[in-house]
Amino acid sequence: MDVWRLLPFEVGCAAWNMSVDEAVLQARIVGKVPNTLRFYCWNPSAVSVGRNEVACDRVDFDVAERFGVDVVRRCSGGGTVYHDCDGEVTYGVVAKVSDLGSVGDVTCVYFKVYEAIVDALRLLGVSADFNVGNVKNCPNLTVKGKKISGSSQTLSRGYVLQHGTLLQNFDADKMFQLLKLKDLSYAQATTAGRQKITSLQNELGHKVNFNTITNALKQGFQAILKIQLKETPLTVYETELAKQLYKEKYSTTKWTLNGKLV
């Protein structure tokens, strides 16, 4: 049975969370760390923008400033996502693509990771389905047709970073004040969001604490990937690289707005 590293659960700001994810990927690519699973939350709440998106077209920066919400650009693709500090657990998987049973088909990687999350949701009492997505939406998980978990990927030299959300709760009013949806007013977007998005609390009728969620996720990943998780902290190499990425990339206006560092 393969042993994967499990990083200690962390709560961080948006720029730090994205810096750590990329640092782990880079460390895995050069062989300094094993395949790694990570769970974290965001404080303050944040909006993350996909690698190739135009940030000003997707985020209302005035509302974000008023609410004290961070805005960050991911190194992965996909759409713009609101991360509520009290409403989700985020996971990050960094692994060799072939270790996830794929020879280059990113949908296979999505499916394998989502299998683990489906198993975790089963343990929590929720039945979810894999949705392959389309040209505009990455694959995701749905419950009775409503999205409960989404994610995005970046691939490099045969290694993948897939990070995504599992919604514990869902604040449509706040989400759609922050996000701009083309051709939809705030009221229309909020109504559409309530029809298309769900959460653990909505499905179960009660709040589920983060420890319960992360414990179920650990069990799901171990069972589906047939791995053993060993909790080990970031290496010095990763910590220093994350600090550098935080300073020079993810906390900079140039990267956030334009996806460029020069």
Side-chain angles (χ1 to χ4, degrees):
M1 182 177 288
D2 289 340
V3 177
W4 284 35
R5 177 179 59 162
L6 174 66
L7 288 173
F9 181 83
E10 185 175 18
V11 178
C13 70
W16 179 250
N17 283 339
M18 295 301 92
S19 298
V20 171
D21 274 356
E22 184 174 342
V24 174
L25 175 61
Q26 295 304 324
R28 182 68 187 96
I29 288 171
V30 298
K32 291 184 177 292
V33 298
N35 292 338
T36 297
L37 179 62
R38 178 181 180 227
F39 301 120
Y40 56 94
C41 289
W42 309 66
N43 191 18
S45 298
V47 174
S48 70
V49 179
R51 172 68 179 84
N52 299 310
E53 291 196 302
V54 179
C56 290
D57 289 346
R58 296 289 181 259
V59 185
D60 190 320
F61 280 83
D62 290 336
V63 173
E65 183 176 6
R66 187 166 76 246
F67 285 166
V69 169
D70 285 350
V71 181
V72 69
R73 183 181 295 274
R74 303 188 305 271
C75 65
S76 59
T80 298
V81 182
Y82 172 58
H83 307 275
D84 191 292
C85 63
D86 295 318
E88 73 172 61
V89 170
T90 306
Y91 71 86
V93 174
V94 173
K96 194 172 183 178
V97 170
S98 59
D99 290 342
L100 292 168
S102 174
V103 291
D105 183 350
V106 297
T107 303
C108 289
V109 175
Y110 276 113
F111 181 74
K112 197 68 175 180
V113 172
Y114 277 134
E115 267 195 296
I117 299 174
V118 166
D119 196 55
L121 285 167
R122 177 187 61 80
L123 294 171
L124 293 168
V126 174
S127 178
D129 300 304
F130 179 69
N131 184 327
V132 296
N134 52 47
V135 293
K136 292 185 177 180
N137 298 288
C138 296
N140 54 68
L141 288 184
T142 58
V143 177
K144 291 174 264 187
K146 293 185 176 183
K147 183 176 177 180
I148 195 169
S149 178
S151 64
S152 58
Q153 288 181 357
T154 185
L155 293 154
S156 180
R157 293 159 58 181
Y159 293 86
V160 63
L161 160 64
Q162 181 171 324
H163 45 195
T165 64
L166 179 56
L167 294 181
Q168 187 274 338
N169 201 359
F170 168 51
D171 186 343
D173 292 330
K174 190 170 185 180
M175 177 183 291
F176 293 106
Q177 288 183 69
L178 289 158
L179 305 187
K180 294 180 180 179
L181 295 187
K182 187 177 180 180
D183 300 327
L184 288 181
S185 67
Y186 161 70
Q188 291 170 324
T190 303
T191 299
R194 290 194 177 110
Q195 293 172 345
K196 295 180 179 180
I197 300 172
T198 190
S199 66
L200 283 168
Q201 184 167 317
N202 185 63
E203 295 302 318
L204 295 172
H206 60 83
K207 186 171 183 178
V208 185
N209 66 53
F210 289 152
N211 284 339
T212 300
I213 296 170
T214 55
N215 284 335
L217 286 167
K218 291 173 193 176
Q219 292 181 62
F221 275 98
Q222 288 184 122
I224 298 302
L225 300 185
K226 296 179 172 56
I227 59 174
Q228 179 182 347
L229 292 171
K230 181 179 180 181
E231 186 165 316
T232 311
L234 290 171
T235 63
V236 173
Y237 175 88
E238 291 168 303
T239 301
E240 292 306 311
L241 179 55
K243 289 178 180 178
Q244 180 182 351
L245 288 166
Y246 177 88
K247 180 181 179 181
E248 299 177 4
K249 185 175 183 178
Y250 288 104
S251 64
T252 67
T253 301
K254 287 181 179 179
W255 172 257
T256 299
L257 292 181
N258 306 311
K260 299 177 181 179
L261 298 177
V262 293

